[in-house]
């Protein structure tokens, strides 16, 4: 069940549950996985940036991988393996695939600046993990400060057959999607899957530009599933109506510093995790912020009963 270039739908970026004292909450990992599956996601992506991957010990990362893969069953699981060094990247990649993961996701290190540096980095990353592992190219310049042009993305894809998906998180990025799909149309780049992030903030139009779905972690992944399915069946107005109803909460989640705290707070209220705690360093919502989120949920519930929490 390896990841391939035909992947589509919603691959939710999973949170990592912790107890209030910072311990990994393994019981909530199972609970959270069940929640995502009940939301109808196509796949799961774990140990991403919003999954607090860098705060985990290596053995904790493997615990998360093993529990999620086992619990998810036939639903494909992608593992974020980005690391400062290739040794750690290789070790987690190989262990994840041995555990039954469908593929891995690799982001560039923030120090890369030139096109040649970017292309060389991913060549070395593929050499390190092995070209038998399908992988996702994460393009997230707002957080990682690495700007990959459509031509650089094309070169990486053409250089490495094991690159089967682009996680598109540029902002603004609609024209980039069109450019990449244009390369496929003119035959200068082989087809790949494109799933989009940024909390789903632009999913409504990303689908219309040629994205295959979403790979993000908004607290209502079932809404993302609905929007993707509505767009695929040509129900454009219905897709936008549903998306627009959620947009105030999506926007609130996009705040720097409190975005993950907001997401975990709502996931806790939805019963997906036992605690909204983050492992330190991390932020928690103030009482005022929680009241704002609760207000947004109450307004959303007028249009979507799933927000009646």
């Amino acid at each position: 069940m390896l990841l391939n270039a035909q992947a589509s739908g919603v691959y939710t970026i999973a949170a990592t549950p912790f107890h209030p004292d910072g311990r990994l909450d393994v019981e909530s990992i199972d609970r959270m996985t069940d929640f995502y599956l009940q939301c109808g996601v196509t796949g799961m992506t774990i140990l991403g940036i919003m999954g607090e991957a860098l705060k985990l010990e290596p053995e904790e990362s493997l615990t998360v991988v093993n529990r999620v893969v086992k619990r998810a069953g036939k639903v494909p699981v992608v593992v974020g393996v980005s690391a400062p060094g290739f040794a750690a990247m290789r070790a987690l990649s190989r262990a994840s695939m041995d555990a039954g993961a469908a593929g891995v996701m690799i982001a560039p290190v923030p120090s890369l600046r030139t096109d040649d540096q970017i292309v060389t980095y991913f060549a070395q990353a593929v050499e390190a993990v092995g070209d038998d592992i399908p992988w996702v190219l994460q393009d997230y310049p707002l957080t990682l400060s690495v700007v990959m042009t459509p031509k650089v993305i094309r070169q990486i894809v053409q250089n490495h057959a094991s690159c089967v998906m682009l996680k598109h998180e540029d902002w603004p990025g609609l024209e980039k999607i069109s450019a990449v799909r244009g390369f496929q149309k003119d035959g200068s780049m082989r087809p790949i899957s494109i799933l989009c992030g940024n909390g789903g903030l632009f999913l409504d139009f990303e689908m219309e530009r040629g994205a295959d779905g979403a790979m993000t972690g908004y607290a209502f992944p079932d809404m993302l599933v609905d929007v993707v399915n509505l767009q695929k069946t040509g129900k454009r107005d219905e897709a936008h109506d549903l998306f627009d109803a959620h947009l105030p909460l999506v926007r609130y989640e996009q705040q720097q510093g409190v975005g993950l705290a907001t997401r975990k707070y709502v996931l806790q209220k939805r019963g997906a995790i036992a605690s909204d705690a983050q492992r330190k360093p991390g932020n928690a919502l103030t009482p005022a912020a929680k009241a704002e989120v609760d207000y947004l949920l109450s307004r959303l519930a007028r249009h979507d009963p799933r927000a009646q929490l």
Side-chain angles (χ1 to χ4, degrees):
M1 196 169 58
L2 296 179
L3 193 67
N4 59 50
Q6 287 73 51
S8 64
V10 174
Y11 280 61
T12 190
I13 294 286
T16 300
F18 295 104
H19 291 287
D21 62 5
R23 290 178 297 119
L24 188 65
D25 184 354
V26 292
E27 290 79 13
S28 278
I29 293 175
D30 293 345
R31 180 174 168 183
M32 176 192 68
T33 303
D34 292 344
F35 166 80
Y36 286 134
L37 298 182
Q38 290 165 6
C39 287
V41 300
T42 312
M44 292 181 60
T45 302
I46 58 176
L47 304 184
I49 293 174
M50 295 297 279
E52 301 177 76
L54 295 180
K55 301 176 185 179
L56 298 177
E57 297 289 341
E59 60 270 21
E60 290 178 318
S61 296
L62 290 178
T63 296
V64 173
V65 171
N66 284 302
R67 290 193 79 100
V68 171
V69 169
K70 181 178 179 180
R71 195 78 175 187
K74 295 182 179 180
V75 172
V77 177
V78 175
V79 180
V81 297
S82 303
F86 290 130
M89 185 184 295
R90 175 180 172 79
L92 182 55
S93 297
R94 305 309 300 189
S96 297
M97 298 305 293
D98 288 344
V104 302
M105 181 169 66
I106 305 174
V109 291
S111 59
L112 305 177
R113 286 295 175 266
T114 69
D115 292 352
D116 286 346
Q117 288 174 340
I118 296 168
V119 171
T120 299
Y121 176 82
F122 283 103
Q124 293 174 344
V126 171
E127 180 183 12
V129 304
D131 60 10
D132 58 324
I133 294 181
W135 60 282
V136 179
L137 171 62
Q138 185 173 13
D139 179 23
Y140 197 7
L142 272 76
T143 292
L144 301 172
S145 73
V146 178
V147 177
M148 287 188 273
T149 67
K151 290 183 179 179
V152 166
I153 292 172
R154 177 175 61 182
Q155 185 172 353
I156 294 169
V157 170
Q158 292 300 97
N159 287 352
H160 306 289
S162 55
C163 180
V164 298
M165 180 187 293
L166 170 66
K167 186 187 179 187
H168 169 77
E169 297 193 89
D170 207 343
W171 179 0
L174 295 176
E175 299 301 336
K176 180 178 279 189
I177 297 174
S178 294
V180 172
R181 289 304 190 207
F183 293 150
Q184 293 180 194
K185 289 179 181 178
D186 68 21
S188 63
M189 191 185 87
R190 62 181 174 81
I192 60 168
S193 170
I194 299 179
L195 300 186
C196 299
N198 280 321
L201 191 59
F202 302 100
L203 181 62
D204 50 347
F205 285 111
E206 287 167 338
M207 290 296 297
E208 296 176 13
R209 290 295 190 109
D212 296 298
M215 183 183 279
T216 194
Y218 177 53
F220 285 85
D222 31 3
M223 180 278 283
L224 303 176
V225 170
D226 289 345
V227 168
V228 168
N229 289 336
L230 287 167
Q231 286 281 23
K232 285 184 175 181
T233 55
K235 298 178 181 178
R236 185 187 193 195
D237 287 343
E238 290 182 43
H240 281 271
D241 287 344
L242 177 59
F243 179 83
D244 290 349
H246 280 260
L247 190 54
L249 184 58
V250 172
R251 179 192 64 179
Y252 202 96
E253 262 200 15
Q254 284 296 114
Q255 294 180 94
Q256 291 293 323
V258 298
L260 179 57
T262 301
R263 184 173 299 168
K264 280 195 159 183
Y265 176 66
V266 178
L267 287 173
Q268 181 188 25
K269 290 178 72 71
R270 296 196 73 189
I273 53 179
S275 170
D276 64 351
Q278 296 178 53
R279 178 169 283 181
K280 296 177 181 178
N283 297 305
L285 295 184
T286 64
K290 288 182 178 180
E292 289 166 348
V293 174
D294 290 342
Y295 176 66
L296 290 175
L297 288 169
S298 68
R299 289 179 58 81
L300 175 58
R302 302 176 189 175
H303 307 280
D304 190 337
R306 291 174 290 203
Q308 292 176 353
L309 305 178

